[in-house]
Amino acid sequence: MGPEELGALTAAAGAAVVQAAGTDAWAGIHAWWSRWWERVGEMLHREELQREELERLDADGTTLPAASEPEAANRAGYWTGRFETLLGLLPPEEREKAVAELQALVGQRPSAQHGDTTVNVSGDAQVQNGDHNYMVNNFGSPS
């Protein structure tokens, strides 16, 4: 997976965290995130990482449902960065597994290539990444 595809994947995962807050999908995101960081913490001999990440996730689970669009976009960017950081910490063989898990997290979404632009759709969010641009469209009624 190239850097552009990886960027689109981590952006979709960041958007998935924000989209899940306050919905039935939140429990699944929370459980998945806990397992992922537990494994990474063990590999890096930093078991406290799981606790720290879950505290951040729990805080967002409480505040995101009432967040403004700019706040939600900021948090999606934060989680995108966390996914990117996590992938950078992993050795190559573990990174491949983590990428597969991220793909599962954002769901079985259709993906289409248009020239140098990748468009991914996940639930109520569309992520477009390419030609040095990045855009997330969230669909649904405003809160």
Side-chain angles (χ1 to χ4, degrees), residues 2-89:
E4 196 167 288
E5 293 88 2
L6 194 57
L9 176 61
T10 57
V17 170
V18 171
Q19 292 288 322
T23 71
D24 292 340
W26 187 253
I29 293 277
H30 194 278
W32 179 87
W33 194 239
S34 177
R35 286 189 308 271
W36 213 32
W37 276 104
E38 179 180 32
R39 192 175 83 233
V40 171
E42 288 172 0
M43 281 185 348
L44 299 174
H45 306 290
R46 292 190 55 207
E47 284 75 18
E48 75 279 2
L49 281 176
Q50 181 189 26
R51 180 186 49 78
E52 293 167 1
E53 291 301 318
L54 285 176
E55 287 173 2
R56 288 181 184 109
L57 188 66
D58 288 341
D60 275 359
T62 302
T63 60
L64 277 171
S68 68
E69 276 190 48
E71 291 170 311
N74 182 42
R75 295 313 294 164
Y78 170 81
W79 289 112
T80 296
R82 293 304 296 149
F83 288 118
E84 289 171 355
T85 298
L86 172 63
L87 293 174
L89 293 172

Side-chain angles (χ1 to χ4, degrees), residues 86-110:
L86 172 63
L87 293 174
L89 293 172
L90 297 174
E93 65 278 357
E94 287 295 323
R95 188 175 306 122
E96 288 177 26
K97 291 179 196 173
V99 165
E101 290 175 2
L102 264 183
Q103 290 170 324
L105 172 71
V106 299
Q108 302 301 318
R109 69 212 184 290

